[in-house]
Amino acid sequence: MPPPPGGRLGPGVLTEEEKKNKPKVTKELLLRIFSYLKPYKKQMALVLLAILVSAVLTLLPSVLTGRIVDEGLIAKNMQKLILYILLSFGVTLLANLIGIGESYLNTWIAQHITYDMRNAMYIHLQKMSQRFFTTNNQGDIITRMTSDISGVQQIITGTLTSIISNSITLIVALVIMFRENWLLALVGVLVVPLFTIPTRNAGKTRWSITQESQACSDEINGILNETLSVSGQLLVKLFGMEQKEYEKYEKVNKNMIRLNIRESMAGRWFRMALNTFTNIGPMLIYLVGGVIMMEIDETVTVGQITVLVALLGKMYGPVNQLLNIQVDWIRSMALFTRIFEYYDMPAEIENAPDAITPDTVRGEVEFQHVRFHYDPEREILKDINFKLEQGRCFAIVGPSGSGKSTLINLIPRLYDVIDGRVLFDGTDVRKLDLAFLRKNIGIVSQETYLFNGTIRDNLLYAKPDATEEELIDACKQANIYDFVSAQETGLDTVVGNRGLKLSGGEKQRISIARILLKDPALMIFDEATSALDSISEQKIQDAIEPLIATRTSILIAHRLSTVLAADEILVIQDGEIAERGTHNELVGKGGVYTQLYETQFSRAKESEIPDLSYSEGESDA
Ligand code: ATP
């Protein structure tokens, strides 16, 4: 039996949740689904033809069996016997050959539709705003991209083909049966439910166990994912939870074994029921057929009874599958609904139709009465106003959670303002071409993200055509070249999963080198809150100072040395600019900055005391 779409439960049973959330099958939904089949109309027509021909051909040998019995065996005609046997063989061979072609074509269509849908979804998801990615569960996004869309493929190769081919088989079989002998055919039709109902029940039990074991396997995956990941393992080790985690794993593992054994035994019962009924069914026909032949209608031949038994055997599968198709159908519709739900989400942040791409760029930023919230209940930025001129550098400081990162995210339009305006070189960012805007802004974020690849790959991400000299030069400027050249494989050193093979400081300097290669007009540096030792800190400092000296920049600063490098300091508190000025102007004021200076910056103030404390943030980043 083919696995159900979406890889969830098997046929026969809908879960309570599925019953509750039955999708509304509207004409629009169906039309939309069929629109995906449209480009493959010709191939679909060919598949239909192949299904039709192979259904008829598959049934032919059953009809020929009757001839073999009546005209060959009973009539003792060797010539006809051989002829019909050879014909049977040929027809079966042909049906199978057509079947191969049909399944190739079917898979081809399904794969191409999946390909189209995945590409469209990828393009669509790339347009989604940061809000979408922070709000939605990452697993959910991946599931829709992968298994939901794979489910569509199963719908086409499974559900759709199954409906068509089974219906054709049934109709053709019924027509032949009634043409052979209507009375016997009637008996046959009455016997069909006997074949199907018991196996259906056996199937139900089996699938309910499958459901349980699938939940169990999800749980196992969850445990493995959490405890065997880099950060997870670290947490387990540092909290000495190895034994506890093992016990948890062992318990679920045991449950899995129990379920597997039950499932395999349920399979036994299922097969037993199947065997019994497939054997009893024909006997019933022989019995009733015999009675009719001997007592009621003498024109009925042994061959006709044989044909009937053979055709009934062929009907068993299609009837069973069609009975289960409703469940598959509902699931398929639910799957499409889930996929379309994502397609229909507005991109939120898009290029304006009349977006401007200026010829020159200065990198100036201005905030005019900017207000912003993620959730209307809680305003994060309240009436922010400032202007950052070309070549100048602002440091933004403030308590954790005061809205500093949020503020800078508005500049490259990771989010749009709720009220007010953000101007880049005097133009509202919403009126600028997005690609232009983002190309001219470079952000070194708090959580440095490196792709799993080499240092070179990560650098080339900013400038794919950078020469070797440019790469080395960027590394030198970012103060990472000594580290790179000390590695056996230099720039081709692999950085590991999310860059975890490197220290926090190294990662940050590589990301500075990456920004240098991008060479943006506006540089934003979101300093990591986690502590680095003073040597690493100094190296980063030495890397960014020349950078900010030559271009417009904003630093979200957590260290005194960074603050001191700026031309002006904006102190953010509760989403407002509480104070602004130079360090000397602010430090004696007795306000928020003074407080920050005395608490947050004091470590640095006490000067060059290496901070070697372990930082969780660093290992997680
Ligand atoms: P830190 O110095 O700790 O990095 P920050 O000043 O940069 O803090 P933000 O990251 O801007 O602070 O966050 C400001 C507030 O907005 C926080 O209270 C945070 O919980 C909330 N917040 C941040 N990102 C989101 C989001 N994607 N959805 C909802 N709320 C968010």
Side-chain angles (χ1 to χ4, degrees):
M1 226 169 287
R8 282 182 290 275
L9 284 184
V13 250
L14 283 175
T15 61
E16 284 308 311
E17 203 192 328
E18 280 175 321
K19 277 183 203 154
K20 236 188 287 159
N21 301 325
K22 261 192 198 177
K24 254 201 217 135
V25 182
T26 57
K27 197 174 138 203
E28 285 74 34
L29 179 66
L30 291 177
L31 283 178
R32 195 165 176 188
I33 293 173
F34 278 102
S35 74
Y36 285 94
L37 301 177
K38 242 187 193 160
Y40 307 105
K41 264 192 302 205
K42 280 186 204 144
Q43 290 88 341
M44 292 291 289
L46 216 58
V47 167
L48 274 179
L49 186 71
I51 291 177
L52 186 76
V53 174
S54 89
V56 175
L57 288 183
T58 317
L59 292 174
L60 260 183
S62 306
V63 179
L64 288 171
T65 319
R67 306 279 181 278
I68 289 172
V69 172
D70 284 344
E71 296 172 31
L73 294 175
I74 296 179
K76 296 196 174 154
N77 182 335
M78 185 57 85
Q79 231 176 353
K80 277 198 173 168
L81 182 68
I82 292 176
L83 176 73
Y84 287 134
I85 288 175
L86 283 179
L87 211 58
S88 258
F89 178 73
V91 162
T92 311
L93 193 70
L94 190 62
N96 281 319
L97 283 177
I98 294 177
I100 290 175
E102 181 242 316
S103 78
Y104 167 77
L105 209 56
N106 221 331
T107 312
W108 187 92
I109 297 171
Q111 288 293 346
H112 276 76
I113 291 173
T114 316
Y115 166 84
D116 295 344
M117 288 185 106
R118 284 226 171 98
N119 285 347
M121 183 70 101
Y122 193 83
I123 290 177
H124 182 68
L125 287 183
Q126 277 198 325
K127 283 193 199 139
M128 298 308 283
S129 70
Q130 199 66 7
R131 188 192 307 277
F132 170 84
F133 292 99
T134 49
T135 315
N136 286 286
N137 183 333
Q138 205 171 7
D140 198 38
I141 299 175
I142 305 283
T143 308
R144 288 197 206 209
M145 228 9 235
T146 53
S147 63
D148 281 7
I149 297 189
S150 301
V152 166
Q153 184 190 322
Q154 281 169 15
I155 292 169
I156 296 160
T157 47
T159 318
L160 214 60
T161 322
S162 163
I163 294 179
I164 298 170
S165 81
N166 288 325
S167 308
I168 292 178
T169 311
L170 272 188
I171 294 170
V172 176
L174 280 174
V175 169
I176 302 175
M177 276 165 79
F178 276 94
R179 277 196 48 178
E180 287 283 317
N181 186 303
W182 69 268
L183 199 58
L184 276 180
L186 214 58
V187 175
V189 171
L190 291 178
V191 166
V192 167
L194 275 181
F195 276 77
T196 50
I197 292 166
T199 49
R200 212 164 124 74
N201 283 337
K204 263 188 198 174
T205 327
R206 187 165 179 217
W207 286 117
S208 80
I209 301 173
T210 310
Q211 177 184 14
E212 236 184 289
S213 84
Q214 225 153 30
C216 190
S217 131
D218 280 352
E219 201 178 335
I220 289 187
N221 284 340
I223 293 179
L224 292 182
N225 250 333
E226 289 211 332
T227 58
L228 294 187
S229 66
V230 182
S231 321
Q233 245 313 294
L234 194 63
L235 204 69
V236 171
K237 283 201 170 81
L238 292 179
F239 283 87
M241 295 295 273
E242 289 93 339
Q243 184 60 23
K244 267 240 161 66
E245 291 297 347
Y246 167 70
E247 281 164 18
K248 213 158 79 183
Y249 177 71
E250 193 264 350
K251 201 171 133 201
V252 194
N253 208 0
K254 194 178 240 168
N255 194 24
M256 188 79 211
I257 287 173
R258 186 183 61 84
L259 286 169
N260 282 346
I261 295 174
R262 267 182 62 197
E263 190 180 344
S264 131
M265 282 324 285
R268 277 286 144 72
W269 290 115
F270 176 75
R271 280 196 291 278
M272 197 202 84
L274 200 94
N275 286 339
T276 315
F277 284 98
T278 28
N279 286 333
I280 287 179
M283 299 305 150
L284 277 176
I285 308 264
Y286 283 129
L287 181 68
V288 181
V291 172
I292 294 175
M293 188 175 80
M294 291 174 218
E295 309 286 334
I296 305 169
D297 184 358
E298 280 184 6
T299 60
V300 171
T301 65
V302 178
Q304 281 176 338
I305 299 177
T306 322
V307 171
L308 210 91
V309 169
L311 283 177
L312 258 191
K314 291 257 160 75
M315 278 171 80
Y316 161 74
V319 169
N320 222 353
Q321 279 178 28
L322 282 177
L323 282 178
N324 287 321
I325 222 82
Q326 183 217 2
V327 171
D328 276 356
W329 176 256
I330 290 172
R331 278 200 194 124
S332 310
M333 290 300 127
L335 216 55
F336 272 113
T337 314
R338 262 169 72 84
I339 294 169
F340 291 155
E341 197 181 282
Y342 260 32
Y343 277 142
D344 293 342
M345 277 185 190
E348 201 176 341
I349 288 170
E350 277 184 301
N351 237 356
D354 50 354
I356 311 165
T357 312
D359 298 327
T360 54
V361 58
R362 301 187 304 276
E364 289 185 356
V365 177
E366 186 174 355
F367 273 52
Q368 292 179 342
H369 304 290
V370 168
R371 291 183 176 277
F372 181 80
H373 60 237
Y374 296 101
D375 163 11
E377 305 279 294
R378 191 170 148 236
E379 194 159 43
I380 304 288
L381 296 178
K382 307 161 191 167
D383 197 25
I384 299 283
N385 291 287
F386 69 84
K387 184 168 183 194
L388 172 64
E389 279 113 10
Q390 186 179 14
R392 280 173 60 82
C393 170
F394 275 0
I396 298 181
V397 299
S400 178
S402 55
K404 304 180 295 290
S405 305
T406 305
L407 187 150
I408 58 159
N409 283 345
L410 298 179
I411 307 172
R413 286 190 74 200
L414 294 183
Y415 295 91
D416 273 342
V417 296
I418 302 292
D419 202 14
R421 301 198 301 167
V422 174
L423 308 176
F424 184 81
D425 283 355
T427 312
D428 191 321
V429 286
R430 287 167 294 188
K431 295 208 174 96
L432 283 173
D433 178 65
L434 255 184
F436 164 83
L437 180 70
R438 291 182 181 163
K439 184 173 153 263
N440 287 298
I441 299 173
I443 299 188
V444 178
S445 58
Q446 218 177 69
E447 283 204 12
T448 313
Y449 193 92
L450 298 182
F451 288 109
N452 192 359
T454 61
I455 295 176
R456 184 191 302 279
D457 296 336
N458 274 286
L459 293 178
L460 288 177
Y461 201 69
K463 191 178 182 192
D465 58 351
T467 61
E468 189 74 16
E469 285 70 42
E470 283 176 307
L471 294 181
I472 292 174
D473 197 41
C475 288
K476 279 185 178 157
Q477 282 188 58
N479 243 336
I480 189 72
Y481 189 65
D482 288 348
F483 168 80
V484 173
S485 51
Q487 304 302 306
E488 220 170 276
T489 41
L491 279 171
D492 295 312
T493 306
V494 174
V495 301
N497 200 358
R498 286 159 70 213
L500 284 170
K501 281 190 184 166
L502 304 180
S503 79
E506 286 153 5
K507 265 194 299 183
Q508 232 179 15
R509 278 178 284 146
I510 289 181
S511 74
I512 292 173
R514 187 161 64 181
I515 290 298
L516 280 166
L517 284 165
K518 188 179 177 186
D519 194 23
L522 172 70
M523 240 283 298
I524 299 173
F525 186 78
D526 195 349
E527 196 169 58
T529 36
S530 46
L532 291 177
D533 63 73
S534 60
I535 298 169
S536 299
E537 208 171 285
Q538 193 55 49
K539 281 185 176 160
I540 291 177
Q541 203 58 43
D542 292 347
I544 59 168
E545 260 169 35
L547 250 177
I548 59 175
T550 51
R551 71 189 77 209
T552 327
S553 44
I554 300 178
L555 312 170
I556 297 188
H558 294 283
R559 299 186 180 91
L560 184 66
S561 46
T562 324
V563 178
L564 291 177
D567 297 314
E568 193 174 341
I569 301 160
L570 303 183
V571 186
I572 309 278
Q573 193 182 30
D574 292 332
E576 284 173 305
I577 299 182
E579 292 168 8
R580 59 189 295 175
T582 61
H583 172 75
N584 289 337
E585 285 164 6
L586 296 176
V587 76
K589 245 180 157 180
V592 194
Y593 185 79
T594 317
Q595 262 178 24
L596 276 172
Y597 177 68
E598 278 167 4
T599 53
Q600 200 177 332
F601 301 152
S602 58
R603 246 186 305 137
K605 187 183 59 173
E606 278 155 20
S607 178
E608 318 314 338
I609 301 168
D611 185 343
L612 301 172
S613 61
Y614 169 75
S615 150
E616 248 179 68
E618 198 60 78
S619 62
D620 282 342

